[in-house]
Amino acid sequence: MNFEFFVVKRLIGGKSHKSSISAPIIKIAIAAIAIGVVMMLVSFATGLGLQEKIRDKIAAFNGHINISNYDNNSSQVTLTPVSKDQDFYPEFNSVEGISHVQAVATKFGIIRTETDFEGVVVKGVGTDYNWDYFEDFLVKGELPNVDNKLNDEVLISSYLANRLQLNVGDKVPTYFLREGSERPLTRGFVITGIYDSGFMEFDKLYVLADIRHIQRLNRWEDNEVGNFEVFLNDFDKINEKGQEVYENTGSFLDTQTITQKYYSIFEWLALFDFNIALIIGIMILVAGINMITALLVLILERTQMIGILKALGGNDWSIRKIFLYNAGYLIIKGLFWGNLIGLGMLLLQKYFKLIPLNPETYYVTEVPVYLSCDYILAVNLGTLILCMLMLIIPSVIISKISPSRAIKFE
């Protein structure tokens, strides 16, 4: 083993690389591995980042699982109320992995100003509402206070604020239709905060207010709400937990996951998994081919050395390991530069948001970055192992070299 490492050291550190014809080929192989690693890291970070960001934005407005009467599932607004007196509320103890349950209600309304008007969905929320997502979305003002007595505070999107020329502190008359009433009902809401989720499909629609307004407008009892939003600890188990939630709710209630409600969006997001796998396959293949080329050139350049080693009693496998060790060093060198460049680019995007995106197309305002040690280690170990496996077969050529002919080879 010491002899093998000595030879590897000579192969790697000797002057032969600098003066041989293999030098440019080796540089190309290292560059191919580095570029491949950069591409794979960027694909993972941006693909997973986009999936997570869009998933969280949809969950912010809908929860992960929605529980309601069957009459409400096809509508954006609440049609039939549900009693809050449920076994699963406020704690869903019969199903593991549920982090939070909140009661909400929605009603269609029209905001009218002196110069314009806009149709909106007023979402009523109560003291159990999870504001964590909207704290991140908040761009001006503060969140509505729904903890104390009923007030007129509302949270609107920056899209609506810009379109209707509204600002924090402005009063917005909002009109609602009520069954059995010919004249619309009016509520004079006051804007306390403006949010921007970047998800235009929701920003154009939702205004958040106290749920007691919806209850009074619909003539509901205090314990009646529109539906329940359920949040999970692990989104990857949403289909499994969705079925469990359905089985643990009453027969008069239906459940719907956001992957079912927004099927087309999540089908589009699923394409990112295929794109990531495709890029990884292509990059590893290109890096492997370049390393095979570099290894074959190294073997041809060292034909005389191989002959001498065989004449001195070296067996084929020990000589093959010398070249595989050398190839492994080159792969690690490529991985080093690839990680340095790739992670550097991703960190710049994560903290400085250099590359913007059109929110109407991608639902986000900039390229999101998701960094995790899991896929970073997987990319590096996977590239190293697969490239080394690809090099074992071409290294068989060493066993075909005859010592007598190789020593005469020039």
Side-chain angles (χ1 to χ4, degrees):
M1 182 64 68
N2 291 334
F3 173 72
E4 291 170 359
F5 278 112
F6 171 75
V7 177
V8 171
K9 184 178 179 182
R10 295 293 297 171
L11 278 170
I12 294 171
K15 297 180 179 180
S16 57
H17 273 182
K18 297 180 181 179
S19 58
S20 67
I21 60 171
S22 65
I25 296 176
I26 289 172
K27 290 179 180 178
I28 292 172
I30 294 174
I33 292 172
I35 293 171
V37 170
V38 170
M39 292 293 292
M40 287 186 281
L41 290 177
V42 170
S43 298
F44 265 114
T46 56
L48 296 177
L50 191 63
Q51 288 178 326
E52 183 185 47
K53 202 77 171 178
I54 294 175
R55 188 175 67 202
D56 288 346
K57 288 184 178 183
I58 296 175
F61 290 91
N62 300 271
H64 293 129
I65 303 171
N66 189 280
I67 304 173
S68 65
N69 274 311
Y70 282 94
D71 294 340
N72 296 332
N73 286 331
S74 59
S75 177
Q76 287 277 14
V77 298
T78 302
L79 301 177
T80 307
V82 182
S83 173
K84 291 173 69 174
D85 299 328
Q86 305 289 339
D87 294 337
F88 57 79
Y89 181 80
E91 298 291 335
F92 210 133
N93 296 320
S94 57
V95 177
E96 293 184 358
I98 291 180
S99 61
H100 183 65
V101 181
Q102 59 194 28
V104 299
T106 52
K107 190 172 183 63
F108 180 76
I110 297 176
I111 294 177
R112 182 178 177 84
T113 64
E114 294 181 358
T115 58
D116 210 342
F117 65 92
E118 189 74 24
V120 297
V121 171
V122 178
K123 182 174 182 177
V125 301
T127 56
D128 60 352
Y129 194 72
N130 180 10
W131 289 103
D132 290 348
Y133 291 107
F134 282 91
E135 287 177 352
D136 295 333
F137 299 158
L138 193 65
V139 294
K140 186 181 290 187
E142 58 186 21
L143 298 172
N145 181 10
V146 297
D147 295 333
N148 302 317
K149 63 180 182 179
L150 179 64
N151 58 62
D152 298 326
E153 297 179 357
V154 294
L155 180 71
I156 72 168
S157 68
S158 59
Y159 170 85
L160 292 173
N162 293 333
R163 181 172 174 80
L164 299 173
Q165 298 181 351
L166 298 171
N167 208 335
V168 172
D170 290 347
K171 189 172 183 179
V172 286
T174 308
Y175 298 87
F176 300 90
L177 292 177
R178 186 168 67 182
E179 187 177 352
S181 177
E182 295 181 357
R183 299 182 61 182
L185 302 176
T186 308
R187 288 292 184 274
F189 294 125
V190 177
I191 300 172
T192 59
I194 297 175
Y195 73 89
D196 184 4
S197 73
F199 204 115
M200 283 299 162
E201 185 174 337
F202 297 137
D203 287 3
K204 291 179 180 178
L205 201 60
Y206 283 101
V207 173
L208 275 70
D210 196 312
I211 193 172
R212 287 170 286 188
H213 286 294
I214 308 298
Q215 290 171 329
R216 291 188 178 187
L217 288 166
N218 289 339
R219 296 175 179 171
W220 291 350
E221 300 295 332
D222 291 341
N223 69 331
E224 289 183 324
V225 297
N227 54 279
F228 298 94
E229 294 176 347
V230 179
F231 290 85
L232 304 177
N233 291 321
D234 186 359
F235 181 84
D236 294 334
K237 297 181 179 179
I238 187 169
N239 294 327
E240 172 191 340
K241 295 301 176 182
Q243 184 61 32
E244 289 186 38
V245 168
Y246 177 78
E247 293 172 355
N248 284 272
T249 53
S251 58
F252 59 90
L253 294 176
D254 191 24
T255 62
Q256 188 179 38
T257 65
I258 55 174
T259 56
Q260 295 170 331
K261 187 175 182 179
Y262 300 97
Y263 177 80
S264 59
I265 293 177
F266 282 95
E267 280 294 296
W268 172 66
L269 289 178
L271 293 176
F272 284 84
D273 294 331
F274 174 77
N275 293 339
I276 292 171
L278 182 64
I279 289 173
I280 288 173
I282 293 173
M283 290 298 102
I284 290 180
L285 183 62
V286 170
I289 290 173
N290 278 276
M291 282 306 305
I292 289 171
T293 303
L295 179 64
L296 291 175
V297 171
L298 279 174
I299 291 173
L300 291 174
E301 273 198 337
R302 295 341 189 261
T303 302
Q304 283 187 329
M305 185 193 76
I306 293 170
I308 294 171
L309 291 175
K310 284 191 174 185
L312 293 173
N315 59 52
D316 292 335
W317 178 238
S318 64
I319 299 173
R320 286 172 67 184
K321 285 195 291 183
I322 292 172
F323 286 90
L324 290 175
Y325 289 150
N326 190 28
Y329 166 80
L330 299 178
I331 294 171
I332 292 173
K333 193 172 182 180
L335 292 174
F336 170 77
W337 287 110
N339 281 277
L340 184 65
I341 297 170
L343 293 177
M345 291 170 54
L346 293 173
L347 289 172
L348 285 174
Q349 175 61 25
K350 183 177 180 68
Y351 293 106
F352 296 101
K353 307 184 188 307
L354 302 177
I355 305 175
L357 288 177
N358 183 358
E360 294 187 3
T361 303
Y362 295 99
Y363 308 109
V364 291
T365 55
E366 69 277 334
V367 176
V369 173
Y370 173 76
L371 294 175
S372 171
C373 293
D374 294 339
Y375 74 76
I376 294 174
L377 290 174
V379 165
N380 285 273
L381 290 176
T383 302
L384 177 61
I385 292 171
L386 290 175
C387 286
M388 291 299 293
L389 290 174
M390 292 172 68
L391 293 175
I392 290 176
I393 296 176
S395 67
V396 174
I397 193 174
I398 292 173
S399 63
K400 307 297 182 182
I401 296 175
S402 170
S404 59
R405 292 182 179 179
I407 294 174
K408 296 179 183 179
F409 177 79
E410 292 184 2

